[in-house]
Amino acid sequence: AMASNHMDHRFDDEPRGIFPPIPSLSTVVSYIPPLHEIHSAMIGMPKELAPTGMAEAVGYHHVPATDSHPPLRVFYPATAPSSSHTKGGNTITATATPIRWFEACEGGVRPFIFGYAHMLFARQNTALFKYLVRPVAFFISLLLPMGWLRVPGVYKDAPFCMPDLSTSSSSQPSSESSTVLSESKSGSTNKLPAIVFSHGLTGTGQENFSLCAAWAKQGFVVASVHHVDGSSCNVRAADGSQMYYKHGPPLSNYDPAFRCNQVDERAKQLISAVDFVLPKTKSESINTNDNDGDDAQPENSALLDDIRNAVDPNRIVGAGFSYGAATTARAIAMEPQRFCAAMFLDGWFHIDVQKSAGVQFSFPKEAFEQPMPQIPSIFIDSQQFEGYPSLFRSTQQLARKMNAGDETVHVLPNTGHQNFCDVIFWLNDFTLRKMMLSAIGKADTGTAFKQISSMTIEFLRRKVLV
C-alpha cells in the first residue's frame, strides 16, 4: 500500500521505496521464522537466472577513484579463467572461483553496512555511532550471507575475449528493427558497444551487479559508477577517505538546488566513465592519472588497454536505476552527442515535497525544460512507482521527448522499487516478504528479475547491436 508520496524527514525528498524501510525490533522478532523455513529459503542467484549470452564468461575489474573519475567497476566479455592443483600425482584443472558481490578489494561488505547504519541510525562522526552502532553493524556484517555470496560466471580480472557479434544468432535484432547502420557507425561494427551505469540514491552499484553482468555477457563493456558526491551510503574517495551519505536540508527549509546541484555532479561523473572506457592515445595515457591504484600493475594496464581498444566510441549507452536514471537523463541533456541510446530503470523523475515545503518539479529540470535528443530509449517502472501520479506523469513526459512522442513506460505488475536490485539474492524470501514491506512487490522475485534482464537485453539487441 502506497499511502504517501513523501518519506520521513530523515530521507529528504525521495519517494517511498528508494531504499528498504527499517522495521522495529518487535516487528523483527515477530517475523523470525522456524529454522527449517530459513534454511529452505533460497539465498544467492540460482543457475537459471545466471547471465547467459555469447561471451564465455564475464570479467570484472575494479578501478579506484582518481582525480579524473569516481570508483568504477568494469564488466566485460571474457574467457573463464582456470586454476590448477596437483592431487595424487595428477594435475586437476578447474574453473576459477567467481567474484563476491562485495569483494575484498573494495573492503568487503562492511563499508556497505556501516554506510547504511550511518544513514539510518546515527551519523558516523558521533559517539553513538563509534561505540554502539558501528560494533553492532560489524557483528551483523559477519552474519549476513551477502558478505560471502558470489556472482555466478563473473571472474575478477579474467582475460578479455572479443566476441564475434556478427555470427552470434543471439545478437541479431528482430526483423522489426533490423535497419542498416548509419555511415557514422558502419565502420565500427567489429567493436563493442559500451554501457555506463549510474546507481540509485544511497546505493553503491553492488546492488546492480547482476544486470551489469548480464549485459556484459551479451558482448557489452559496462562501466558501473560508484558516485563520489554524497549520494552513496559509503564510498572511498580518491584521497583514500571514506565519504558517507550526505543528508539533504530538512523539508521545513527545503532547497531545490540541493538535488539539482547533486545530479549535475553525478552526471559529470557518469560522463567521466565514458571518457574512461574509450581508447586512449599514448599521450593521453601519459597525461592522465588513470593508472593510479590497482591500475598501476602492468597486467591491469594491459587488460584495460584491451578493453578500451575494443570499445566503439559511437555506441555508448547511458543507463541508470532510480536516481541513476535521473542522472543518466541529466548526462544526456549535458552532452547529448556522447550517447546513442538510454535505459531508464524505475527512474526518479519528480521531486514532490508539496505538502511539507510547497515545492514539486520534474527532475532533473534540464531534461524537461530543454530539447532532448531523440535516441532509442526504454523506460521500465515498478508498479510501486506507477502508483505515484506526479512521478509517473513526469516519466511519461520524458519518454515522449526521447521516443518521438511515444510515452510507453513498461510497468512490471506487482513489483516494488527494490525488485530492480540484487537484494533479492542477498536475503531469503521470508525476509524480503515480511520485513521489507512495500519495497518488494508480490511478484515472484526471480521472475521479475528475469523480465527486467530480458527486456533490457532485447532492447540492446534491437537498438544497439545492429
Side-chain angles (χ1 to χ4, degrees):
M2 266 37 95
S4 170
N5 208 22
H6 307 282
M7 295 207 65
D8 182 277
H9 69 277
R10 293 176 301 163
F11 307 143
D12 311 317
D13 42 16
E14 58 274 14
R16 292 189 184 274
I18 285 284
F19 51 84
I22 304 300
S24 65
L25 180 60
S26 61
T27 303
V28 173
V29 172
S30 68
Y31 280 154
I32 294 178
L35 189 61
H36 72 274
E37 288 190 31
I38 296 178
H39 287 294
S40 63
M42 181 196 66
I43 296 179
M45 179 183 287
K47 291 182 179 180
E48 58 268 24
L49 294 181
T52 59
M54 67 185 69
E56 178 185 335
V58 173
Y60 159 89
H61 180 69
H62 175 254
V63 183
T66 71
D67 292 337
S68 57
H69 61 73
L72 301 171
R73 301 180 182 97
V74 182
F75 299 81
Y76 54 93
T79 301
S82 59
S83 58
S84 301
H85 66 277
T86 302
K87 184 176 182 180
N90 297 319
T91 300
I92 300 175
T93 301
T95 302
T97 305
I99 65 163
R100 292 184 175 91
W101 262 281
F102 296 88
E103 276 290 295
C105 64
E106 300 184 58
V109 73
R110 287 169 196 164
F112 185 87
I113 301 298
F114 291 164
Y116 273 92
H118 152 84
M119 190 180 64
L120 297 170
F121 300 115
R123 304 296 191 268
Q124 55 86 23
N125 56 355
T126 63
L128 178 61
F129 183 90
K130 182 178 180 180
Y131 295 110
L132 178 61
V133 174
R134 185 183 175 98
V136 172
F138 177 85
F139 177 72
I140 291 174
S141 73
L142 299 176
L143 301 178
L144 289 175
M146 57 197 281
W148 62 80
L149 290 174
R150 297 184 181 274
V151 189
V154 183
Y155 304 94
K156 187 175 186 293
D157 295 334
F160 172 76
C161 182
M162 183 75 176
D164 187 352
L165 303 184
S166 64
T167 60
S168 173
S169 60
S170 64
S171 69
Q172 297 306 312
S174 64
S175 58
E176 180 182 340
S177 62
S178 56
T179 55
V180 178
L181 284 175
S182 65
E183 289 186 7
S184 63
K185 298 179 183 179
S186 60
S188 54
T189 54
N190 61 332
K191 293 207 168 190
L192 303 182
I195 300 171
V196 289
F197 182 84
S198 174
H199 64 72
L201 185 65
T202 77
T204 63
Q206 280 138 323
E207 62 276 2
N208 302 114
F209 262 31
S210 298
L211 277 177
C212 292
W215 298 332
K217 187 76 170 176
Q218 298 297 318
F220 285 77
V221 171
V222 184
S224 176
V225 175
H226 191 175
H227 287 288
V228 185
D229 65 319
S231 65
S232 173
C233 67
N234 194 351
V235 59
R236 185 176 293 276
D239 62 4
S241 64
Q242 294 296 135
M243 178 183 292
Y244 284 82
Y245 178 78
K246 182 180 180 180
H247 291 260
L251 296 187
S252 59
N253 188 32
Y254 186 75
D255 180 9
F258 175 74
R259 291 294 180 207
C260 293
N261 293 338
Q262 189 176 62
V263 79
D264 281 358
E265 178 58 30
R266 285 172 60 101
K268 293 173 184 176
Q269 292 178 9
L270 190 65
I271 291 171
S272 76
V274 177
D275 293 329
F276 181 87
V277 299
L278 294 181
K280 297 285 187 290
T281 64
K282 187 173 181 180
S283 60
E284 286 174 328
S285 298
I286 294 173
N287 293 325
T288 64
N289 61 351
D290 280 346
N291 290 328
D292 289 351
D294 282 354
D295 295 346
Q297 301 299 321
E299 64 273 19
N300 290 337
S301 296
L303 173 63
L304 283 175
D305 286 342
D306 288 343
I307 296 170
R308 287 165 165 159
N309 290 333
V311 170
D312 181 354
N314 294 312
R315 291 191 289 173
I316 305 295
V317 180
F321 162 68
S322 190
Y323 199 12
T327 301
T328 301
R330 181 67 186 100
I332 293 173
M334 193 176 287
E335 295 194 23
Q337 75 282 1
R338 308 295 291 271
F339 302 93
C340 75
M343 299 189 292
F344 302 100
L345 308 180
D346 226 19
W348 179 26
F349 296 123
H350 191 85
I351 289 180
D352 187 353
V353 286
Q354 183 66 34
K355 292 181 180 179
S356 304
V359 175
Q360 64 171 322
F361 55 93
S362 295
F363 175 75
K365 290 183 176 181
E366 292 80 4
F368 292 88
E369 296 176 356
Q370 69 184 51
M372 291 288 282
Q374 292 186 355
I375 58 177
S377 304
I378 186 170
F379 293 77
I380 306 176
D381 265 20
S382 64
Q383 186 172 323
Q384 179 186 5
F385 268 31
E386 182 192 31
Y388 303 136
S390 297
L391 171 59
F392 195 66
R393 281 195 297 270
S394 292
T395 305
Q396 290 178 310
Q397 181 183 348
L398 185 59
R400 281 196 302 272
K401 288 189 71 173
M402 298 196 66
N403 283 327
D406 183 357
E407 65 177 24
T408 299
V409 177
H410 304 278
V411 178
L412 304 181
N414 300 313
T415 55
H417 195 55
Q418 296 299 318
N419 281 103
F420 289 77
C421 296
D422 286 359
V423 65
I424 64 171
F425 303 123
W426 300 344
L427 301 174
N428 62 45
D429 191 67
F430 181 90
T431 305
L432 290 171
R433 300 296 179 190
K434 299 297 186 180
M435 293 176 61
M436 295 187 68
L437 307 178
S438 62
I440 295 288
K442 295 180 179 179
D444 177 78
T445 53
T447 300
F449 172 79
K450 194 69 174 179
Q451 285 181 300
I452 297 166
S453 176
S454 298
M455 291 172 71
T456 53
I457 289 172
E458 178 62 16
F459 168 80
L460 292 170
R461 288 175 182 169
R462 290 158 51 99
K463 302 299 184 179
V464 183
L465 288 177
V466 293

